[in-house]
Amino acid sequence: MASSSAVGKLSREEFRRQKDLDAARKAGTAPAALDEEGRPINPHIPQYISQAPWYLDTGAPSLNHQRRPDYDNSSNKLDNWYDRGAKAGPAAKKYRKGACENCGAMTHKKQDCLERPRKKGAKFTNKDIQADEVIQEVASGYDAKRDRWNGYDAVEHRRVYEEYAAVEAARQKLREEEIDNQTTTDLAAVRKVAKAGKSESKETDPDFGSSEDEDADEDKYADAADAVGQKLDAKTRITVRNLRIREDTAKYLINLDPESAYYDPKTRSMRDAPLKNVLPEDAKFAGDNFFRYSGEAPEVQQLQLFAWQAAARGNDVHLNANPTQGELLHYEFRQKKEELKDTTKSSILAKYGGAEYLDSTPKELRQGQTEDYIEYSRTGQVIKGREKAKAKSKYPEDVYVNNHTDVWGSWYDTATGAWGFACCHSCLHLSYCSGQMGIDAANASSAQHLLASTSIQDTEQKRDTTEDTRERGEKVEQNYSKKRIGEGDVKLDQDRLAQAVLEEKKRKSRGMKDDDERSSKKKKSGLESGSHEVTEEEMEAYRMSRRMTEDPMANYVDTDL
């Protein structure tokens, strides 16, 4: 009934003929119906499948409504994004009308310019005119338009990963140092340090707590386990880490490229190296074949191959049943093979000659090494043996002129930047040597010596000024320091303090009149002299004898006594 959708309301006769036609098509006596593209429609398809809905009905028998529509998915690719910072050709030489007044590009205006605002724009200076940007129109589809990661560079996440890895490494190192610095063997103290490190890490990084929980489980299982070969109680030992390293990266996670080395999950083997651009010696994992062909593995393979070949020739050699016999037979086989090789070589040389061309230069002569023994003293003199002859120059060496004991160029004057003689510090080439007197005269006349003498006088004047300032500061500190007003730590003399307490009691007994007169005189003398005569003992006696009005128990009297 594929054509029933194309027909409206049928009469009884038309419906009967349509039913007969469908029955004939199913029986194969009538040809099958064709769709819009000329493809036959299976007459056994039910009507609810072959009949198109009203919103997809084209008026002709068809099954296109059951097929997946062909959409253009080229715009839904993740790499279909804007080329950031792309420039269209070289920059212009002069400012163009309608361009940006700030940078001179034609693709935007001044208010949309992303460059730093210039003091004078390109419109007025005609300098540093930027090239036009490439205006791109990316036709993104439904999925690409709503993809939040479209255009994201995955390399940016590596910085975040490296930052967290560095923080985790530093935290782990700090915890290990704290545990190593523990001098006690108490297990509770070590657990306390480890728990403190874990709590600190949880406070700083709440999102990364799963690894710490795994470490706690490792510690628990490691403490409860008994060490192999040790008859010790696990509770008396300090075991912080498990023997299995949990930080090792799995083979299949080293390189996530699907075109890299194949990993067999059943046997857990990866024969090829996952990273081709890293040397096998430097890589963490270079593939199972690297370990299979390194070390003593090739020797074992050669031994197994020898056992198989010997057994194929009729010899009773089996490597697993009798490995010692197989090893001895393989050793004898190699010895006989070397002897046969030497015999063949000597026979060929005896017949054809040419042995003199096989003799190579000794290794000692090729590398410049000999067995000659030479012993030197601390000063560099030869004590035993013969020193190697020095290469002579065609120019005269160690020639001393004008009574000099050193050659020209043996001394460099850093002040003037000139070369001279080290014996007298003279920078004149044909001068006469004056010895130590010339060195002293050169030092005395140098600018550094003159500046040093001037700086000594300035230092003495500064010292005198500093002493005067210190004396004044001591007077000010005596009058206004924290110790003077009782805020610092002051050492009191007990005898003077007792005497000051007695004088304070006498002053209070005489009355306030004499006290006011004396205080007025002291104020006048203090203003004139610039210092007070009150000592620390007198201040302490005054504090001890004054009435504390703010004390709630000052006026309390016990009536029961």
Side-chain angles (χ1 to χ4, degrees), residues 298-540:
E299 298 179 1
V300 177
Q301 293 179 1
Q302 293 178 2
L303 181 60
Q304 182 67 55
L305 181 61
F306 168 75
W308 289 341
Q309 293 176 354
R313 295 188 182 97
N315 298 322
D316 188 11
V317 179
H318 197 280
L319 190 60
N320 296 331
N322 197 348
T324 306
Q325 180 188 7
E327 181 70 25
L328 292 175
L329 292 176
H330 188 218
Y331 178 75
E332 294 177 0
F333 171 74
R334 286 184 297 174
Q335 293 291 334
K336 292 181 179 179
K337 185 177 180 180
E338 292 294 333
E339 293 177 358
L340 180 61
K341 184 178 179 180
D342 294 341
T343 305
T344 305
K345 180 181 177 181
S346 58
S347 62
I348 292 175
L349 292 177
K351 184 176 182 180
Y352 299 101
E356 64 274 8
Y357 301 106
L358 300 178
D359 297 336
S360 60
T361 308
K363 186 177 180 181
E364 293 80 7
L365 297 180
R366 284 182 290 173
Q367 297 182 355
Q369 299 177 359
T370 60
E371 295 295 334
D372 297 338
Y373 177 76
I374 304 174
E375 185 176 349
Y376 296 89
S377 64
R378 292 185 177 181
T379 58
Q381 303 294 331
V382 179
I383 300 177
K384 186 182 296 183
R386 180 178 298 178
E387 188 177 8
K388 184 179 179 181
K390 296 181 180 179
K392 294 185 178 181
S393 173
K394 65 178 181 179
Y395 301 101
E397 296 182 0
D398 298 335
V399 178
Y400 306 109
V401 296
N402 295 337
N403 202 26
H404 287 287
T405 57
D406 291 308
V407 297
W408 168 261
S410 58
W411 178 72
Y412 180 74
D413 189 2
T414 57
T416 59
W419 294 93
F421 296 96
C423 55
C424 61
H425 290 189
S426 176
C427 296
L428 299 177
H429 181 53
L430 298 177
S431 63
Y432 192 81
C433 183
S434 56
Q436 186 63 30
M437 297 177 62
I439 297 176
D440 297 340
N443 294 335
S445 62
S446 62
Q448 296 179 356
H449 185 270
L450 297 177
L451 292 175
S453 61
T454 307
S455 61
I456 293 173
Q457 298 176 1
D458 296 341
T459 306
E460 294 177 355
Q461 294 178 0
K462 289 180 180 179
R463 189 184 298 110
D464 299 339
T465 307
T466 306
E467 291 178 356
D468 297 341
T469 307
R470 188 183 298 109
E471 292 178 358
R472 296 177 184 175
E474 289 177 357
K475 291 182 180 180
V476 173
E477 183 180 2
Q478 180 183 0
N479 298 335
Y480 305 105
S481 65
K482 290 184 178 181
K483 292 184 179 180
R484 182 66 182 85
I485 61 178
E487 295 183 6
D489 297 333
V490 182
K491 295 182 180 179
L492 303 177
D493 190 356
Q494 299 297 329
D495 297 338
R496 292 182 180 179
L497 179 60
Q499 185 66 23
V501 171
L502 294 175
E503 292 181 357
E504 184 67 20
K505 290 181 180 179
K506 291 180 181 180
R507 184 185 67 80
K508 287 188 175 182
S509 63
R510 287 197 301 268
M512 297 300 296
K513 184 176 181 180
D514 298 339
D515 189 21
D516 294 340
E517 292 178 357
R518 186 174 63 178
S519 62
S520 62
K521 290 180 181 179
K522 286 185 178 181
K523 287 181 180 179
K524 292 179 181 179
S525 62
L527 293 173
E528 293 174 358
S529 62
S531 63
H532 299 283
E533 297 178 0
V534 181
T535 61
E536 292 295 337
E537 288 79 4
E538 293 176 353
M539 286 294 297
E540 185 66 21

Side-chain angles (χ1 to χ4, degrees), residues 83-376:
D83 189 5
R84 305 177 187 271
K87 300 291 184 180
K93 302 295 182 180
K94 295 182 180 180
Y95 178 78
R96 296 162 291 178
K97 185 177 180 180
C100 176
E101 298 180 1
N102 185 40
C103 66
M106 290 289 294
T107 52
H108 61 269
K109 298 297 181 182
K110 180 179 180 181
Q111 57 268 23
D112 299 330
C113 187
L114 298 180
E115 285 200 2
R116 179 181 60 85
R118 304 179 185 179
K119 188 175 182 181
K120 290 184 180 181
K123 179 180 179 181
F124 305 101
T125 59
N126 277 332
K127 294 180 180 179
D128 194 15
I129 296 178
Q130 300 296 325
D132 300 341
E133 294 91 353
V134 177
I135 303 299
Q136 306 173 20
E137 297 197 9
V138 179
S140 57
Y142 182 87
D143 297 335
K145 187 184 297 183
R146 289 160 179 80
D147 188 6
R148 59 181 297 189
W149 298 106
N150 195 358
Y152 175 73
D153 189 6
V155 181
E156 294 291 333
H157 182 67
R158 187 179 300 173
R159 301 178 183 175
V160 181
Y161 177 79
E162 292 176 354
E163 180 181 358
Y164 277 95
V167 172
E168 187 66 24
R171 185 185 295 113
Q172 183 70 19
K173 184 178 180 181
L174 182 60
R175 285 183 56 196
E176 291 177 358
E177 291 179 356
E178 291 179 356
I179 293 175
D180 293 339
N181 292 335
Q182 290 292 330
T183 57
T184 178
T185 58
D186 189 8
L187 182 61
V190 177
R191 286 179 175 175
K192 185 177 180 181
V193 173
K195 187 180 294 182
K198 293 175 183 177
S199 62
E200 180 182 356
S201 63
K202 288 182 180 180
E203 293 177 0
T204 53
D205 297 332
D207 296 336
F208 295 89
S210 59
S211 61
E212 302 295 340
D213 298 339
E214 294 177 0
D215 294 342
D217 295 340
E218 287 184 10
D219 301 344
K220 179 177 65 176
Y221 296 141
D223 293 338
D226 291 333
V228 179
Q230 295 181 2
K231 294 182 179 181
L232 296 175
D233 187 6
K235 296 182 179 180
T236 61
R237 291 184 289 106
I238 300 176
T239 306
V240 180
R241 285 288 178 187
N242 197 357
L243 295 177
R244 188 168 68 90
I245 301 176
R246 301 287 297 275
E247 290 80 6
D248 285 348
T249 307
K251 302 175 183 178
Y252 52 85
L253 294 179
I254 296 177
N255 190 359
L256 300 180
D257 187 6
E259 301 297 332
S260 61
Y262 173 72
Y263 175 75
D264 187 9
K266 186 176 182 180
T267 59
R268 296 181 181 180
S269 62
M270 182 181 287
R271 295 173 178 81
D272 296 335
L275 300 176
K276 297 294 184 181
N277 55 349
V278 180
L279 295 177
E281 294 79 7
D282 301 336
K284 294 182 179 180
F285 177 74
D288 295 336
N289 289 340
F290 175 74
F291 298 104
R292 193 170 297 164
Y293 297 106
S294 61
E296 298 181 356
E299 298 179 1
V300 177
Q301 293 179 1
Q302 293 178 2
L303 181 60
Q304 182 67 55
L305 181 61
F306 168 75
W308 289 341
Q309 293 176 354
R313 295 188 182 97
N315 298 322
D316 188 11
V317 179
H318 197 280
L319 190 60
N320 296 331
N322 197 348
T324 306
Q325 180 188 7
E327 181 70 25
L328 292 175
L329 292 176
H330 188 218
Y331 178 75
E332 294 177 0
F333 171 74
R334 286 184 297 174
Q335 293 291 334
K336 292 181 179 179
K337 185 177 180 180
E338 292 294 333
E339 293 177 358
L340 180 61
K341 184 178 179 180
D342 294 341
T343 305
T344 305
K345 180 181 177 181
S346 58
S347 62
I348 292 175
L349 292 177
K351 184 176 182 180
Y352 299 101
E356 64 274 8
Y357 301 106
L358 300 178
D359 297 336
S360 60
T361 308
K363 186 177 180 181
E364 293 80 7
L365 297 180
R366 284 182 290 173
Q367 297 182 355
Q369 299 177 359
T370 60
E371 295 295 334
D372 297 338
Y373 177 76
I374 304 174
E375 185 176 349
Y376 296 89

